[in-house]
Amino acid sequence: MVKFKINDQEVEAQPGWTVLETARHYGIHIPTLCYHEAVEPSGACRLCVVELKDGDWSKVVISCMYPVQEGLNVYTDSERVTNVRRWILEMLISECPASEEIRALAKEYGVNTTRFAEKDPEGQCILCGLCVRVCAEVVGADAITTVGRGVHKAIGAPYMVPADACVACGSCLTVCPTGAMAARIDKVRGEPKVKLLRSGR
Ligand code: SF4
Ligand code: FES
């Protein structure tokens, strides 16, 4: 077992666990958006930051991808962590001002406005890719992907053609942390199989 501390509490982790996995094992809350235990982490949202301290030295890392090590001193809610999370939430609000989920999360950190320019007032997607990973790794359908580049990057069906590969399981809707997939599901899936079954075709 790997022994270290989270918020000055002694913890033990299996080799290969991440800091986030260990924190969850001990019921210590770290906010996440792009993480789901069913798929590989991607480190896309950065919200799960924690601070590692050693004397006067410290650094901020993302806990969902940081492997546990003997003797770490991890702080999940230090002043530095809170400041970084507030900054990240300001950026997320500017990216997806229409997401009630993001606004509610930001409010928990006292963030109600953003210094960054809003790109699209209707924006809800933070491009975390969780829906894509669940569709590929859990469902095995590969019905959605990241399309476009740079400012045109978006989540959609390959070549933006509604995908027959979609089995209308709703997994992408369930895991989406911002409500964005609910607004775009009809553009992603083709004719839902469940409708075909009901119509007897
Ligand atoms: S639709 Fe949701 S899950 Fe998919 S990338 Fe956007 S925010 Fe993430
Ligand atoms: S939850 Fe760790 S980067 Fe998104």
Side-chain angles (χ1 to χ4, degrees):
M1 298 297 276
V2 181
K3 295 182 182 176
F4 64 104
K5 288 183 183 172
I6 300 180
N7 300 339
D8 296 325
Q9 176 189 340
E10 299 271 4
V11 296
E12 290 187 352
Q14 302 274 0
W17 278 11
T18 61
V19 168
L20 178 65
E21 283 173 312
T22 314
R24 288 198 167 179
H25 181 76
Y26 282 88
I28 300 166
H29 176 66
I30 297 175
T32 61
L33 286 169
C34 69
Y35 177 82
H36 194 288
E37 56 276 6
V39 293
E40 287 295 314
S42 70
C45 76
R46 324 298 286 183
L47 194 68
C48 67
V49 286
V50 294
E51 186 173 7
L52 306 183
K53 285 189 189 173
D54 186 5
D56 290 341
W57 172 92
S58 95
K59 75 172 174 178
V60 171
V61 300
I62 50 172
S63 62
C64 69
M65 294 187 80
Y66 202 87
V68 295
Q69 289 164 32
E70 193 76 24
L72 284 178
N73 276 312
V74 178
Y75 291 88
T76 63
D77 278 312
S78 63
E79 188 179 350
R80 192 171 171 194
V81 166
T82 304
N83 284 340
V84 173
R85 279 199 199 127
R86 287 168 57 89
W87 183 71
I88 291 167
L89 284 162
E90 275 197 56
M91 287 203 297
L92 291 177
I93 288 181
S94 78
E95 276 175 34
C96 49
S99 169
E100 285 176 23
E101 288 83 349
I102 294 293
R103 285 205 175 268
L105 184 59
K107 206 170 169 186
E108 285 177 30
Y109 284 83
V111 177
N112 297 307
T113 56
T114 177
R115 284 165 286 179
F116 304 104
E118 286 184 2
K119 293 171 193 155
D120 171 10
E122 304 292 316
Q124 282 182 290
C125 178
I126 59 172
L127 294 172
C128 70
L130 185 52
C131 52
V132 176
R133 284 177 284 138
V134 165
C135 188
E137 295 178 33
V138 179
V139 185
D142 269 324
I144 39 181
T145 187
T146 306
V147 294
R149 289 187 182 180
V151 292
H152 301 296
K153 199 167 156 187
I155 299 295
Y159 306 108
M160 293 309 254
V161 176
D164 283 344
C166 177
V167 295
C169 66
S171 300
C172 54
L173 285 174
T174 307
V175 297
C176 177
T178 69
M181 188 48 80
R184 69 184 57 208
I185 185 70
D186 287 337
K187 291 182 185 163
V188 169
R189 69 183 172 199
E191 186 71 10
K193 305 286 185 293
V194 67
K195 266 194 196 167
L196 293 178
L197 287 173
R198 280 189 189 143
S199 69
R201 285 191 284 149

PDB file of all heavy atoms in Angstrom, residues 44-76:
ATOM      1  N   ALA A  44      -9.220  17.112 -18.909  1.00  0.00           N
ATOM      2  CA  ALA A  44      -9.668  18.201 -19.781  1.00  0.00           C
ATOM      3  C   ALA A  44     -10.154  19.431 -19.030  1.00  0.00           C
ATOM      4  O   ALA A  44      -9.939  20.553 -19.487  1.00  0.00           O
ATOM      5  CB  ALA A  44     -10.785  17.693 -20.701  1.00  0.00           C
ATOM      6  N   CYS A  45     -10.822  19.266 -17.894  1.00  0.00           N
ATOM      7  CA  CYS A  45     -11.479  20.429 -17.284  1.00  0.00           C
ATOM      8  C   CYS A  45     -10.604  21.145 -16.250  1.00  0.00           C
ATOM      9  O   CYS A  45     -10.817  22.315 -15.968  1.00  0.00           O
ATOM     10  CB  CYS A  45     -12.805  20.020 -16.655  1.00  0.00           C
ATOM     11  SG  CYS A  45     -12.645  19.124 -15.080  1.00  0.00           S
ATOM     12  N   ARG A  46      -9.662  20.473 -15.649  1.00  0.00           N
ATOM     13  CA  ARG A  46      -8.720  20.985 -14.650  1.00  0.00           C
ATOM     14  C   ARG A  46      -9.375  21.338 -13.318  1.00  0.00           C
ATOM     15  O   ARG A  46      -8.711  21.854 -12.416  1.00  0.00           O
ATOM     16  CB  ARG A  46      -7.952  22.236 -15.149  1.00  0.00           C
ATOM     17  CG  ARG A  46      -7.581  22.287 -16.606  1.00  0.00           C
ATOM     18  CD  ARG A  46      -6.680  21.207 -17.044  1.00  0.00           C
ATOM     19  NE  ARG A  46      -5.301  21.326 -16.629  1.00  0.00           N
ATOM     20  CZ  ARG A  46      -4.349  20.486 -16.978  1.00  0.00           C
ATOM     21  NH1 ARG A  46      -4.655  19.451 -17.770  1.00  0.00           N
ATOM     22  NH2 ARG A  46      -3.125  20.623 -16.551  1.00  0.00           N
ATOM     23  N   LEU A  47     -10.668  21.105 -13.178  1.00  0.00           N
ATOM     24  CA  LEU A  47     -11.344  21.544 -11.952  1.00  0.00           C
ATOM     25  C   LEU A  47     -10.913  20.751 -10.721  1.00  0.00           C
ATOM     26  O   LEU A  47     -11.053  21.211  -9.590  1.00  0.00           O
ATOM     27  CB  LEU A  47     -12.870  21.422 -12.140  1.00  0.00           C
ATOM     28  CG  LEU A  47     -13.693  22.146 -11.095  1.00  0.00           C
ATOM     29  CD1 LEU A  47     -13.532  23.658 -11.233  1.00  0.00           C
ATOM     30  CD2 LEU A  47     -15.159  21.759 -11.192  1.00  0.00           C
ATOM     31  N   CYS A  48     -10.394  19.551 -10.938  1.00  0.00           N
ATOM     32  CA  CYS A  48     -10.047  18.659  -9.819  1.00  0.00           C
ATOM     33  C   CYS A  48      -8.674  18.984  -9.235  1.00  0.00           C
ATOM     34  O   CYS A  48      -8.071  18.130  -8.579  1.00  0.00           O
ATOM     35  CB  CYS A  48     -10.088  17.216 -10.284  1.00  0.00           C
ATOM     36  SG  CYS A  48      -8.791  16.868 -11.494  1.00  0.00           S
ATOM     37  N   VAL A  49      -8.187  20.205  -9.446  1.00  0.00           N
ATOM     38  CA  VAL A  49      -6.853  20.564  -8.946  1.00  0.00           C
ATOM     39  C   VAL A  49      -6.738  20.379  -7.429  1.00  0.00           C
ATOM     40  O   VAL A  49      -7.700  20.600  -6.688  1.00  0.00           O
ATOM     41  CB  VAL A  49      -6.469  22.029  -9.287  1.00  0.00           C
ATOM     42  CG1 VAL A  49      -6.119  22.175 -10.741  1.00  0.00           C
ATOM     43  CG2 VAL A  49      -7.546  22.987  -8.856  1.00  0.00           C
ATOM     44  N   VAL A  50      -5.548  19.993  -7.013  1.00  0.00           N
ATOM     45  CA  VAL A  50      -5.197  19.935  -5.586  1.00  0.00           C
ATOM     46  C   VAL A  50      -3.781  20.488  -5.465  1.00  0.00           C
ATOM     47  O   VAL A  50      -3.071  20.617  -6.467  1.00  0.00           O
ATOM     48  CB  VAL A  50      -5.245  18.494  -5.038  1.00  0.00           C
ATOM     49  CG1 VAL A  50      -6.663  17.945  -5.044  1.00  0.00           C
ATOM     50  CG2 VAL A  50      -4.303  17.565  -5.800  1.00  0.00           C
ATOM     51  N   GLU A  51      -3.390  20.812  -4.234  1.00  0.00           N
ATOM     52  CA  GLU A  51      -2.041  21.346  -4.014  1.00  0.00           C
ATOM     53  C   GLU A  51      -1.175  20.291  -3.329  1.00  0.00           C
ATOM     54  O   GLU A  51      -1.616  19.649  -2.362  1.00  0.00           O
ATOM     55  CB  GLU A  51      -2.133  22.613  -3.151  1.00  0.00           C
ATOM     56  CG  GLU A  51      -0.793  23.319  -3.005  1.00  0.00           C
ATOM     57  CD  GLU A  51      -0.910  24.663  -2.286  1.00  0.00           C
ATOM     58  OE1 GLU A  51      -2.007  24.979  -1.778  1.00  0.00           O
ATOM     59  OE2 GLU A  51       0.098  25.385  -2.240  1.00  0.00           O
ATOM     60  N   LEU A  52       0.032  20.109  -3.831  1.00  0.00           N
ATOM     61  CA  LEU A  52       1.016  19.245  -3.189  1.00  0.00           C
ATOM     62  C   LEU A  52       2.007  20.155  -2.474  1.00  0.00           C
ATOM     63  O   LEU A  52       2.520  21.100  -3.072  1.00  0.00           O
ATOM     64  CB  LEU A  52       1.774  18.404  -4.227  1.00  0.00           C
ATOM     65  CG  LEU A  52       0.942  17.562  -5.194  1.00  0.00           C
ATOM     66  CD1 LEU A  52       1.869  16.758  -6.097  1.00  0.00           C
ATOM     67  CD2 LEU A  52       0.013  16.625  -4.435  1.00  0.00           C
ATOM     68  N   LYS A  53       2.247  19.870  -1.181  1.00  0.00           N
ATOM     69  CA  LYS A  53       3.150  20.738  -0.414  1.00  0.00           C
ATOM     70  C   LYS A  53       4.284  19.919   0.168  1.00  0.00           C
ATOM     71  O   LYS A  53       4.101  18.771   0.579  1.00  0.00           O
ATOM     72  CB  LYS A  53       2.392  21.398   0.739  1.00  0.00           C
ATOM     73  CG  LYS A  53       1.468  22.519   0.328  1.00  0.00           C
ATOM     74  CD  LYS A  53       0.945  23.232   1.568  1.00  0.00           C
ATOM     75  CE  LYS A  53      -0.145  24.222   1.207  1.00  0.00           C
ATOM     76  NZ  LYS A  53      -0.795  24.803   2.363  1.00  0.00           N
ATOM     77  N   ASP A  54       5.454  20.561   0.207  1.00  0.00           N
ATOM     78  CA  ASP A  54       6.615  19.954   0.867  1.00  0.00           C
ATOM     79  C   ASP A  54       7.435  21.111   1.425  1.00  0.00           C
ATOM     80  O   ASP A  54       8.196  21.747   0.692  1.00  0.00           O
ATOM     81  CB  ASP A  54       7.416  19.130  -0.148  1.00  0.00           C
ATOM     82  CG  ASP A  54       8.541  18.366   0.534  1.00  0.00           C
ATOM     83  OD1 ASP A  54       8.624  18.418   1.776  1.00  0.00           O
ATOM     84  OD2 ASP A  54       9.333  17.729  -0.176  1.00  0.00           O
ATOM     85  N   GLY A  55       7.228  21.429   2.700  1.00  0.00           N
ATOM     86  CA  GLY A  55       7.885  22.603   3.272  1.00  0.00           C
ATOM     87  C   GLY A  55       7.386  23.868   2.597  1.00  0.00           C
ATOM     88  O   GLY A  55       6.187  24.085   2.468  1.00  0.00           O
ATOM     89  N   ASP A  56       8.333  24.689   2.111  1.00  0.00           N
ATOM     90  CA  ASP A  56       7.955  25.937   1.443  1.00  0.00           C
ATOM     91  C   ASP A  56       7.584  25.721  -0.020  1.00  0.00           C
ATOM     92  O   ASP A  56       7.124  26.632  -0.698  1.00  0.00           O
ATOM     93  CB  ASP A  56       9.133  26.932   1.485  1.00  0.00           C
ATOM     94  CG  ASP A  56       9.356  27.445   2.894  1.00  0.00           C
ATOM     95  OD1 ASP A  56       8.425  27.324   3.716  1.00  0.00           O
ATOM     96  OD2 ASP A  56      10.470  27.929   3.169  1.00  0.00           O
ATOM     97  N   TRP A  57       7.839  24.518  -0.504  1.00  0.00           N
ATOM     98  CA  TRP A  57       7.587  24.225  -1.916  1.00  0.00           C
ATOM     99  C   TRP A  57       6.159  23.734  -2.103  1.00  0.00           C
ATOM    100  O   TRP A  57       5.635  22.989  -1.279  1.00  0.00           O
ATOM    101  CB  TRP A  57       8.583  23.146  -2.352  1.00  0.00           C
ATOM    102  CG  TRP A  57       8.350  22.579  -3.712  1.00  0.00           C
ATOM    103  CD1 TRP A  57       8.883  23.002  -4.873  1.00  0.00           C
ATOM    104  CD2 TRP A  57       7.534  21.451  -4.032  1.00  0.00           C
ATOM    105  NE1 TRP A  57       8.452  22.223  -5.909  1.00  0.00           N
ATOM    106  CE2 TRP A  57       7.622  21.262  -5.421  1.00  0.00           C
ATOM    107  CE3 TRP A  57       6.726  20.580  -3.286  1.00  0.00           C
ATOM    108  CZ2 TRP A  57       6.928  20.240  -6.084  1.00  0.00           C
ATOM    109  CZ3 TRP A  57       6.038  19.579  -3.938  1.00  0.00           C
ATOM    110  CH2 TRP A  57       6.152  19.407  -5.313  1.00  0.00           C
ATOM    111  N   SER A  58       5.510  24.141  -3.157  1.00  0.00           N
ATOM    112  CA  SER A  58       4.187  23.575  -3.445  1.00  0.00           C
ATOM    113  C   SER A  58       3.906  23.660  -4.934  1.00  0.00           C
ATOM    114  O   SER A  58       4.469  24.507  -5.642  1.00  0.00           O
ATOM    115  CB  SER A  58       3.100  24.301  -2.644  1.00  0.00           C
ATOM    116  OG  SER A  58       2.498  25.324  -3.376  1.00  0.00           O
ATOM    117  N   LYS A  59       3.071  22.756  -5.397  1.00  0.00           N
ATOM    118  CA  LYS A  59       2.621  22.859  -6.798  1.00  0.00           C
ATOM    119  C   LYS A  59       1.194  22.356  -6.898  1.00  0.00           C
ATOM    120  O   LYS A  59       0.732  21.565  -6.064  1.00  0.00           O
ATOM    121  CB  LYS A  59       3.547  22.102  -7.749  1.00  0.00           C
ATOM    122  CG  LYS A  59       3.440  20.609  -7.749  1.00  0.00           C
ATOM    123  CD  LYS A  59       4.281  20.037  -8.901  1.00  0.00           C
ATOM    124  CE  LYS A  59       4.296  18.516  -8.834  1.00  0.00           C
ATOM    125  NZ  LYS A  59       5.040  17.894  -9.926  1.00  0.00           N
ATOM    126  N   VAL A  60       0.496  22.847  -7.934  1.00  0.00           N
ATOM    127  CA  VAL A  60      -0.892  22.466  -8.162  1.00  0.00           C
ATOM    128  C   VAL A  60      -0.928  21.439  -9.286  1.00  0.00           C
ATOM    129  O   VAL A  60      -0.298  21.636 -10.332  1.00  0.00           O
ATOM    130  CB  VAL A  60      -1.734  23.724  -8.525  1.00  0.00           C
ATOM    131  CG1 VAL A  60      -3.118  23.342  -8.992  1.00  0.00           C
ATOM    132  CG2 VAL A  60      -1.817  24.650  -7.322  1.00  0.00           C
ATOM    133  N   VAL A  61      -1.639  20.336  -9.041  1.00  0.00           N
ATOM    134  CA  VAL A  61      -1.740  19.271 -10.053  1.00  0.00           C
ATOM    135  C   VAL A  61      -3.201  18.867 -10.197  1.00  0.00           C
ATOM    136  O   VAL A  61      -4.026  19.155  -9.324  1.00  0.00           O
ATOM    137  CB  VAL A  61      -0.905  18.029  -9.663  1.00  0.00           C
ATOM    138  CG1 VAL A  61       0.566  18.385  -9.519  1.00  0.00           C
ATOM    139  CG2 VAL A  61      -1.436  17.382  -8.382  1.00  0.00           C
ATOM    140  N   ILE A  62      -3.507  18.178 -11.297  1.00  0.00           N
ATOM    141  CA  ILE A  62      -4.883  17.670 -11.432  1.00  0.00           C
ATOM    142  C   ILE A  62      -4.940  16.274 -10.800  1.00  0.00           C
ATOM    143  O   ILE A  62      -4.171  15.388 -11.153  1.00  0.00           O
ATOM    144  CB  ILE A  62      -5.366  17.666 -12.899  1.00  0.00           C
ATOM    145  CG1 ILE A  62      -4.366  17.010 -13.832  1.00  0.00           C
ATOM    146  CG2 ILE A  62      -5.697  19.053 -13.343  1.00  0.00           C
ATOM    147  CD1 ILE A  62      -4.906  16.826 -15.239  1.00  0.00           C
ATOM    148  N   SER A  63      -5.861  16.130  -9.864  1.00  0.00           N
ATOM    149  CA  SER A  63      -5.895  14.909  -9.048  1.00  0.00           C
ATOM    150  C   SER A  63      -6.388  13.687  -9.811  1.00  0.00           C
ATOM    151  O   SER A  63      -6.076  12.563  -9.434  1.00  0.00           O
ATOM    152  CB  SER A  63      -6.762  15.142  -7.813  1.00  0.00           C
ATOM    153  OG  SER A  63      -8.096  15.435  -8.189  1.00  0.00           O
ATOM    154  N   CYS A  64      -7.158  13.880 -10.875  1.00  0.00           N
ATOM    155  CA  CYS A  64      -7.719  12.709 -11.572  1.00  0.00           C
ATOM    156  C   CYS A  64      -6.669  11.976 -12.384  1.00  0.00           C
ATOM    157  O   CYS A  64      -6.902  10.854 -12.833  1.00  0.00           O
ATOM    158  CB  CYS A  64      -8.894  13.107 -12.461  1.00  0.00           C
ATOM    159  SG  CYS A  64      -8.449  14.092 -13.901  1.00  0.00           S
ATOM    160  N   MET A  65      -5.504  12.601 -12.595  1.00  0.00           N
ATOM    161  CA  MET A  65      -4.455  11.933 -13.369  1.00  0.00           C
ATOM    162  C   MET A  65      -3.146  11.829 -12.586  1.00  0.00           C
ATOM    163  O   MET A  65      -2.161  11.333 -13.119  1.00  0.00           O
ATOM    164  CB  MET A  65      -4.218  12.666 -14.694  1.00  0.00           C
ATOM    165  CG  MET A  65      -5.420  12.593 -15.624  1.00  0.00           C
ATOM    166  SD  MET A  65      -5.099  13.269 -17.248  1.00  0.00           S
ATOM    167  CE  MET A  65      -4.248  11.921 -18.034  1.00  0.00           C
ATOM    168  N   TYR A  66      -3.146  12.285 -11.335  1.00  0.00           N
ATOM    169  CA  TYR A  66      -1.889  12.285 -10.591  1.00  0.00           C
ATOM    170  C   TYR A  66      -1.756  10.990  -9.793  1.00  0.00           C
ATOM    171  O   TYR A  66      -2.559  10.713  -8.893  1.00  0.00           O
ATOM    172  CB  TYR A  66      -1.812  13.497  -9.651  1.00  0.00           C
ATOM    173  CG  TYR A  66      -0.390  13.840  -9.285  1.00  0.00           C
ATOM    174  CD1 TYR A  66       0.365  14.676 -10.086  1.00  0.00           C
ATOM    175  CD2 TYR A  66       0.213  13.274  -8.161  1.00  0.00           C
ATOM    176  CE1 TYR A  66       1.679  14.973  -9.774  1.00  0.00           C
ATOM    177  CE2 TYR A  66       1.529  13.558  -7.844  1.00  0.00           C
ATOM    178  CZ  TYR A  66       2.256  14.414  -8.664  1.00  0.00           C
ATOM    179  OH  TYR A  66       3.565  14.696  -8.360  1.00  0.00           O
ATOM    180  N   PRO A  67      -0.732  10.174 -10.100  1.00  0.00           N
ATOM    181  CA  PRO A  67      -0.598   8.898  -9.402  1.00  0.00           C
ATOM    182  C   PRO A  67      -0.138   9.089  -7.962  1.00  0.00           C
ATOM    183  O   PRO A  67       0.643  10.000  -7.674  1.00  0.00           O
ATOM    184  CB  PRO A  67       0.470   8.157 -10.230  1.00  0.00           C
ATOM    185  CG  PRO A  67       1.211   9.209 -10.963  1.00  0.00           C
ATOM    186  CD  PRO A  67       0.297  10.385 -11.132  1.00  0.00           C
ATOM    187  N   VAL A  68      -0.628   8.235  -7.094  1.00  0.00           N
ATOM    188  CA  VAL A  68      -0.233   8.344  -5.681  1.00  0.00           C
ATOM    189  C   VAL A  68       1.244   7.993  -5.520  1.00  0.00           C
ATOM    190  O   VAL A  68       1.782   7.184  -6.276  1.00  0.00           O
ATOM    191  CB  VAL A  68      -1.093   7.410  -4.798  1.00  0.00           C
ATOM    192  CG1 VAL A  68      -2.541   7.850  -4.810  1.00  0.00           C
ATOM    193  CG2 VAL A  68      -0.971   5.954  -5.236  1.00  0.00           C
ATOM    194  N   GLN A  69       1.859   8.643  -4.545  1.00  0.00           N
ATOM    195  CA  GLN A  69       3.264   8.365  -4.216  1.00  0.00           C
ATOM    196  C   GLN A  69       3.418   8.407  -2.707  1.00  0.00           C
ATOM    197  O   GLN A  69       2.748   9.204  -2.039  1.00  0.00           O
ATOM    198  CB  GLN A  69       4.189   9.427  -4.825  1.00  0.00           C
ATOM    199  CG  GLN A  69       4.340   9.362  -6.325  1.00  0.00           C
ATOM    200  CD  GLN A  69       4.941  10.655  -6.884  1.00  0.00           C
ATOM    201  OE1 GLN A  69       5.728  11.314  -6.237  1.00  0.00           O
ATOM    202  NE2 GLN A  69       4.535  11.004  -8.091  1.00  0.00           N
ATOM    203  N   GLU A  70       4.293   7.579  -2.208  1.00  0.00           N
ATOM    204  CA  GLU A  70       4.580   7.531  -0.778  1.00  0.00           C
ATOM    205  C   GLU A  70       4.988   8.933  -0.293  1.00  0.00           C
ATOM    206  O   GLU A  70       5.808   9.606  -0.940  1.00  0.00           O
ATOM    207  CB  GLU A  70       5.737   6.531  -0.559  1.00  0.00           C
ATOM    208  CG  GLU A  70       5.973   6.117   0.853  1.00  0.00           C
ATOM    209  CD  GLU A  70       4.958   5.112   1.375  1.00  0.00           C
ATOM    210  OE1 GLU A  70       4.336   4.391   0.565  1.00  0.00           O
ATOM    211  OE2 GLU A  70       4.800   5.059   2.605  1.00  0.00           O
ATOM    212  N   GLY A  71       4.391   9.365   0.819  1.00  0.00           N
ATOM    213  CA  GLY A  71       4.835  10.597   1.470  1.00  0.00           C
ATOM    214  C   GLY A  71       4.277  11.890   0.904  1.00  0.00           C
ATOM    215  O   GLY A  71       4.656  12.970   1.360  1.00  0.00           O
ATOM    216  N   LEU A  72       3.353  11.818  -0.072  1.00  0.00           N
ATOM    217  CA  LEU A  72       2.764  13.061  -0.596  1.00  0.00           C
ATOM    218  C   LEU A  72       2.009  13.786   0.512  1.00  0.00           C
ATOM    219  O   LEU A  72       1.443  13.154   1.418  1.00  0.00           O
ATOM    220  CB  LEU A  72       1.751  12.748  -1.709  1.00  0.00           C
ATOM    221  CG  LEU A  72       2.238  12.364  -3.098  1.00  0.00           C
ATOM    222  CD1 LEU A  72       1.027  12.075  -3.977  1.00  0.00           C
ATOM    223  CD2 LEU A  72       3.094  13.456  -3.708  1.00  0.00           C
ATOM    224  N   ASN A  73       1.970  15.098   0.423  1.00  0.00           N
ATOM    225  CA  ASN A  73       1.105  15.916   1.284  1.00  0.00           C
ATOM    226  C   ASN A  73       0.144  16.668   0.370  1.00  0.00           C
ATOM    227  O   ASN A  73       0.550  17.617  -0.300  1.00  0.00           O
ATOM    228  CB  ASN A  73       1.926  16.930   2.085  1.00  0.00           C
ATOM    229  CG  ASN A  73       2.475  16.309   3.340  1.00  0.00           C
ATOM    230  OD1 ASN A  73       1.742  15.653   4.082  1.00  0.00           O
ATOM    231  ND2 ASN A  73       3.765  16.478   3.558  1.00  0.00           N
ATOM    232  N   VAL A  74      -1.101  16.207   0.336  1.00  0.00           N
ATOM    233  CA  VAL A  74      -2.081  16.745  -0.609  1.00  0.00           C
ATOM    234  C   VAL A  74      -3.084  17.620   0.139  1.00  0.00           C
ATOM    235  O   VAL A  74      -3.569  17.235   1.212  1.00  0.00           O
ATOM    236  CB  VAL A  74      -2.857  15.593  -1.294  1.00  0.00           C
ATOM    237  CG1 VAL A  74      -3.908  16.144  -2.256  1.00  0.00           C
ATOM    238  CG2 VAL A  74      -1.910  14.647  -2.012  1.00  0.00           C
ATOM    239  N   TYR A  75      -3.385  18.775  -0.444  1.00  0.00           N
ATOM    240  CA  TYR A  75      -4.418  19.642   0.133  1.00  0.00           C
ATOM    241  C   TYR A  75      -5.487  19.903  -0.931  1.00  0.00           C
ATOM    242  O   TYR A  75      -5.172  20.319  -2.047  1.00  0.00           O
ATOM    243  CB  TYR A  75      -3.802  20.946   0.650  1.00  0.00           C
ATOM    244  CG  TYR A  75      -2.933  20.675   1.854  1.00  0.00           C
ATOM    245  CD1 TYR A  75      -1.593  20.348   1.702  1.00  0.00           C
ATOM    246  CD2 TYR A  75      -3.487  20.669   3.136  1.00  0.00           C
ATOM    247  CE1 TYR A  75      -0.810  20.032   2.810  1.00  0.00           C
ATOM    248  CE2 TYR A  75      -2.701  20.360   4.244  1.00  0.00           C
ATOM    249  CZ  TYR A  75      -1.373  20.040   4.073  1.00  0.00           C
ATOM    250  OH  TYR A  75      -0.604  19.710   5.154  1.00  0.00           O
ATOM    251  N   THR A  76      -6.729  19.605  -0.569  1.00  0.00           N
ATOM    252  CA  THR A  76      -7.797  19.670  -1.574  1.00  0.00           C
ATOM    253  C   THR A  76      -8.546  20.999  -1.571  1.00  0.00           C
ATOM    254  O   THR A  76      -9.280  21.284  -2.507  1.00  0.00           O
ATOM    255  CB  THR A  76      -8.820  18.536  -1.327  1.00  0.00           C
ATOM    256  OG1 THR A  76      -9.429  18.738  -0.038  1.00  0.00           O
ATOM    257  CG2 THR A  76      -8.161  17.173  -1.371  1.00  0.00           C
TER     258      THR A  76
END
